[in-house]
Amino acid sequence: MTQQLRPETREFDAEPAEARRSAIDRYFRITARGSTVSRELRGGLTTFVAMSYIVLLNPLILGSSSDATGATLSTTALTTSTALCAGLLTILMGVVGNAPLSMAAGLGAIPIVAFTIAPEMTWAQAFGLVVLEGICIILMAISGVRERIINAIPLPLKTALTVGIGLYIALVGLVSAGFVTRVPDAADTTVPVQMGDSGSMGGWPITLFCLTLLLMVVLVARKVPGAILISIATGTVLSIIVNSAFDIPEGAWGRTAPELPSSLVSIPDFSLLGTIDLFGGFVSAGAVAGTVFLFTLVLSGFFDAMGTITSVGNEAGLMNSRGKIRGMGRILLVDGVGAASGGLAGSAPNTVFLESAAGVGEGARTGLASVVTGALFAATMLFTPLAAVVPAQAAAPALVVVGGMMMAQCANIPWNDGDYVIPVFLTVAIIPFTYSITNGVGAGLIAYCAIKVCKGRLREIGGIMGVLAVVFALYFGIEGVKTLFGAG
């Protein structure tokens, strides 16, 4: 790590002394981490562009469900809550955690809240469970339990998380752009996915995705500053031109069509803030079911965040030689606050986002990038129409390219050690195949512990890892547990 930073440091020694000694530089340790203010600003903007879709996606998912009373949520209010939480929490992560990690409503938790929890209780009660989840995670962070759990996991499995999340990010990008699609059940085939809509590429949206991806690959390979951001901006402009000049079928672009908005400003709707019922969910759904819901939220939020923090932190150079992330305690505390804040704002639990890797790929190394991203999210509350300008076909290439970069960590995996090969493979494969970081972590940990037990090396597992293996076994068998206790 030191050798990688030396050339950067020599470069910065040529900068004016006052720039190196600025208050911002000292607070965020910008020069010490081998970065510059311009890189941080560029990285923060890139991360915002890469994950701004959540301002549209979270309201879309939560707004499409109804609670036990049949009530639905306002799209305007959900958009405000999503942008508000993402803005304030990402700034908090930058100032307190000093890490290039951005926060927003967690993609793994949104469907749980919308389609599993809400139908069994009122929205206020569902948001109450989200707050309780955050409180649990905060207590675990304050006590140091969460950090000890993360540090107990062997370094090869943490590295596997980085690789698995890289594949996950790339797959999300390919699917978002429409390059990879699901084969309809009517096709009666065992092949689950295909290229394009019919097994081949066709149409302007896919063409622009490919062109943007190729441009980004070339610029990144040539180490052009701002390569990712330049490519996204170019792809967006071209998409707007093409969408205006040609008759593009409705829905071909996905959720976001590249059209210039008729109005740049909208009025925020804060009506969902504070609409919570902390313990009512245990009455409406039953004590056992309510506990299972809470356990699922905590487990999902815990390990999704762990995987993202570990992988993005590693890419940002925050991991030391022992596999520990610098400032992990503060980062985890902010992440717990984010989970609780999501419920208080009337949204899903907020957590660190995989798309933070896009900003890291652009050079972000400190919390200043997060402050920039957070400020842009906060501004989105007033300029919500602008969030709908960038189509997935222009932003998704960043996920594919960053995912490819994260695959380089494969070189640090001990492939000649039989104790790790299968656990690492399961972690890497199951994360993208099931769209769940938690599932991949669980499969890898259980396989690792099983191998150690069968080899008679029980002591090498450690108490924490043993407990985690049991917890994940219960997680995978949760439906059986619910049936056993009459909650199915």
Side-chain angles (χ1 to χ4, degrees):
M1 186 63 65
T2 303
Q3 293 178 348
Q4 294 176 349
L5 295 181
R6 281 176 182 169
E8 302 282 350
T9 304
R10 288 198 297 269
E11 176 185 337
F12 301 137
D13 286 342
E15 295 181 354
E18 60 270 18
R20 298 203 313 269
R21 302 193 193 102
S22 68
I24 292 178
D25 192 320
R26 290 196 302 271
Y27 183 85
F28 290 106
R29 306 187 68 225
I30 297 173
T31 301
R33 293 188 182 179
S35 185
T36 64
V37 172
S38 62
R39 287 184 185 177
E40 298 301 311
L41 296 177
R42 194 168 63 234
L45 178 58
T46 300
T47 296
F48 170 75
V49 172
M51 63 182 286
S52 59
Y53 69 88
I54 195 63
V55 178
L56 302 173
L57 183 58
N58 186 42
L60 178 66
I61 298 176
L62 289 180
S64 65
S65 181
S66 58
D67 66 9
T69 67
T72 57
L73 300 174
S74 163
T75 299
T76 303
L78 284 171
T79 302
T80 299
S81 296
T82 304
L84 175 65
C85 284
L88 295 181
L89 293 169
T90 300
I91 291 174
L92 186 65
M93 178 63 78
V95 174
V96 176
N98 193 19
L101 297 168
S102 297
M103 301 185 65
L107 288 174
I110 297 173
I112 296 175
V113 175
F115 305 118
T116 302
I117 299 178
E120 302 298 326
M121 57 189 73
T122 67
W123 282 112
Q125 292 165 350
F127 295 144
L129 283 182
V130 172
V131 173
L132 291 177
E133 177 220 345
I135 293 174
C136 291
I137 292 179
I138 290 173
L139 293 176
M140 294 173 72
I142 293 175
S143 64
V145 171
R146 193 178 184 189
E147 187 170 2
R148 286 197 293 272
I149 290 175
I150 293 175
N151 291 336
I153 298 176
L155 183 56
L157 293 184
K158 292 180 183 177
T159 304
L161 272 177
T162 302
V163 177
I165 290 175
L167 288 175
Y168 182 20
I169 289 177
L171 181 58
V172 168
L174 293 171
V175 171
S176 297
F179 189 88
V180 172
T181 61
R182 177 178 177 272
V183 177
D185 293 334
D188 193 24
T189 175
T190 57
V191 180
V193 294
Q194 63 186 359
M195 183 174 66
D197 289 331
S198 58
S200 61
M201 294 186 296
W204 277 109
I206 297 297
T207 301
L208 285 168
F209 164 75
C210 294
L211 292 175
T212 305
L213 178 59
L214 286 174
L215 173 63
M216 192 176 295
V217 168
V218 171
L219 294 182
V220 168
R222 293 180 62 86
K223 298 182 180 179
V224 175
I228 294 177
L229 187 58
I230 291 172
S231 301
I232 292 175
T234 302
T236 300
V237 171
L238 290 176
S239 298
I240 293 174
I241 295 173
V242 168
N243 192 57
S244 301
F246 298 94
D247 185 18
I248 309 296
E250 184 177 355
W253 295 100
R255 292 184 298 269
T256 305
E259 299 174 346
L260 292 176
S262 58
S263 175
L264 298 179
V265 181
S266 61
I267 301 175
D269 180 355
F270 298 101
S271 60
L272 288 177
L273 268 64
T275 57
I276 61 169
D277 180 350
L278 279 180
F279 303 104
F282 295 97
V283 176
S284 297
V288 174
T291 302
V292 169
F293 291 152
L294 180 59
F295 172 76
T296 302
L297 283 174
V298 171
L299 199 62
S300 175
F302 186 107
F303 286 99
D304 278 12
M306 185 201 78
T308 302
I309 293 170
T310 300
S311 59
V312 177
N314 188 19
E315 288 294 307
L318 301 182
M319 182 177 288
N320 61 26
S321 59
R322 293 174 296 173
K324 296 182 179 181
I325 300 293
R326 293 193 294 271
M328 177 65 91
R330 297 189 301 274
I331 293 173
L332 294 178
L333 179 60
V334 176
D335 183 68
V337 171
S341 299
L344 289 171
S347 181
N350 278 236
T351 187
V352 290
F353 243 62
L354 290 172
E355 283 78 358
S356 301
V360 171
E362 197 57 55
R365 295 293 181 269
T366 75
L368 179 59
S370 297
V371 172
V372 173
T373 304
L376 291 171
F377 267 118
T380 302
M381 287 190 296
L382 297 175
F383 300 96
T384 301
L386 289 179
V389 172
V390 182
Q393 288 75 12
L399 303 182
V400 177
V401 170
V402 171
M405 293 177 177
M406 296 172 72
M407 287 291 294
Q409 293 297 323
C410 284
N412 299 320
I413 296 174
W415 295 108
N416 59 342
D417 190 336
D419 289 0
Y420 289 112
V421 173
I422 300 302
V424 164
F425 168 75
L426 290 175
T427 302
V428 171
I430 290 178
I431 288 176
F433 288 165
T434 65
Y435 260 56
S436 171
I437 297 173
T438 301
N439 291 345
V441 174
L445 288 181
I446 291 175
Y448 173 79
C449 291
I451 290 173
K452 291 295 186 182
V453 170
C454 291
K455 286 189 171 184
R457 299 176 181 175
L458 189 61
R459 292 184 178 180
E460 296 182 15
I461 297 176
I464 294 179
M465 285 286 288
V467 171
L468 287 178
V470 173
V471 170
F472 272 113
L474 292 173
Y475 168 76
F476 287 126
I478 197 68
E479 290 301 322
V481 173
K482 288 166 63 177
T483 301
L484 181 64
F485 288 94

